Amino acid sequence: MSSLLRNPVAKRLLRPAAALVDQRVQRPVNRLRKELDSLRREVHELRGNEYAVSLLFDRTGRSGPRLPTPAQIDRLVAEVAQVSGADQAAARRNVTIAFRNVIALEALAVGRLAGSTQNVCGKLATVPLLSPPNAQVLEIGTLYGLFSATLLRMLHRAGIEPELTIVDPLAGSQLQPGGLEGLDPTGTPVRVDVVRANLALGGKAGERARVEVGFSGDPEVRSAVSDRQYGVIVVDGDHSARGVTEDLEWAEEIAAPGAVVVLDDYGDRKWAGVQQGADAYLAGATRFELIGRVSTSAFLRAR
Ligand SMILES: C[S@@+](CC[C@H](N)C(=O)[O-])C[C@H]1O[C@@H](n2cnc3c(N)ncnc32)[C@H](O)[C@@H]1O
């Protein structure tokens, strides 16, 4: 410290100036402190709100998180537009409405929808845009029935009053080659009463749906379900290559001309058998033509 500042007279004389400097420095510091406190409170509040929102959208009790990024939605919209031939605006509208339905119905559901948000919304958005030739819908492999319930709503929006048939063994848990799938994230049994509860979310068409309990290869099931030609067939049952091939063979017999066939989990590494079986089948003589992919679903059109 300089000797001038140690001098008591100089110190006394400089005191008012020092106090002024102190005040000038202190004021902005106080202001900053206040702003910081208010920001801290805001962040705390936002984190609290975000937590409540995440309870609606996170992965707990379902297939995965329902929190798509803008880039994921943009990509999905482009794929839906490409496969369906619809313009971007129509594809975006359907993807958005599909997403809202997924959130709403899954929140009320007994059980869950199977698959990633992009895969589920992709199927729901694309099928109505492909203008199926009639209102008959068949889903092979339903698990909790919730995808069908949501698809009924998406078709109804497009002016189609759908009629639904479902085939699934509804054996208590999801069956796949090699046995039962592990414990379901929902903890909900795969049973006909559960499927019925979810179909009710699909409105009148859901309540009227036919549920054939059994395997798609069972002769009794095939004979009961083959009483009509379907405008939409969703193949989502046995995911082995052989299971997919056999379902496509059957679908070939019961698909109306122009029918839309959705092959779920095509290209999904977890279910390699789906693409293997489908590619082998489509390489032979068939009236099904692969029209494209959206997320991890392939779309076929029957000639
Ligand atoms: C992946 S889950 C279906 C998911 C449902 N489509 C969805 O999107 O939420 C497959 C369902 O097919 C059933 N399944 C397995 N083999 C089948 C077969 N041969 N015929 C019909 N369903 C079968 C399983 O038990 C399971 O309920």
Side-chain angles (χ1 to χ4, degrees), residues 30-76:
N30 285 347
R31 211 173 35 241
L32 267 179
R33 213 172 262 149
K34 259 195 196 155
E35 273 172 24
L36 210 64
D37 283 349
S38 131
L39 275 176
R40 252 193 221 120
R41 272 196 303 277
E42 250 177 71
V43 168
H44 183 74
E45 204 174 302
L46 278 175
R47 285 207 180 124
N49 294 350
E50 193 190 89
Y51 175 72
V53 172
S54 81
L55 291 179
L56 283 174
F57 295 92
D58 79 5
R59 66 183 320 124
T60 313
R62 56 178 156 213
S63 305
R66 302 283 181 228
L67 287 159
T69 63
Q72 286 170 333
I73 291 292
D74 287 351
R75 182 168 171 199
L76 192 58

Side-chain angles (χ1 to χ4, degrees), residues 92-282:
R92 187 169 294 278
R93 182 195 59 204
N94 266 30
V95 166
T96 306
I97 290 168
F99 178 71
R100 290 179 191 152
N101 270 274
V102 165
I103 297 303
L105 267 62
E106 215 169 29
L108 294 175
V110 186
R112 66 177 166 109
L113 281 152
S116 71
T117 305
Q118 292 97 296
N119 186 39
V120 174
C121 291
K123 289 181 291 181
L124 292 169
T126 306
V127 171
L129 289 172
L130 285 170
S131 304
N134 71 37
Q136 296 296 331
V137 178
L138 170 65
E139 185 184 31
I140 303 172
T142 203
L143 194 68
Y144 295 113
L146 196 60
F147 175 75
S148 268
T150 321
L151 182 62
L152 293 178
R153 299 177 72 92
M154 291 299 291
L155 288 167
H156 204 176
R157 280 196 71 260
I160 299 164
E161 287 187 88
E163 286 184 39
L164 173 68
T165 303
I166 278 173
V167 173
D168 195 295
L170 301 178
S173 295
Q174 178 171 180
L175 294 180
Q176 282 305 332
L180 293 178
E181 275 283 283
L183 214 57
D184 196 86
T186 56
T188 305
V190 180
R191 289 196 318 229
V192 71
D193 55 302
V194 168
V195 168
R196 283 280 171 212
N198 289 322
L199 287 176
L201 298 173
K204 282 272 172 283
E207 283 166 18
R208 282 196 293 258
R210 294 194 298 178
V211 180
E212 280 298 325
V213 177
F215 293 94
S216 55
D218 290 348
E220 325 74 79
V221 168
R222 286 201 175 192
S223 124
V225 171
S226 303
D227 62 341
R228 62 195 70 183
Q229 293 211 305
Y230 293 89
V232 178
I233 301 178
V234 180
V235 178
D236 196 14
D238 178 341
H239 283 43
S240 69
R242 190 168 160 202
V244 169
T245 304
E246 287 177 1
D247 280 345
L248 284 173
E249 272 163 10
W250 182 36
E252 185 107 34
E253 293 166 22
I254 53 177
V260 175
V261 177
V262 183
L263 259 175
D264 202 2
D265 299 318
Y266 181 94
D268 186 329
R269 268 176 288 161
K270 188 179 171 211
W271 305 110
V274 174
Q275 184 164 0
Q276 275 164 23
D279 287 352
Y281 185 81
L282 294 171

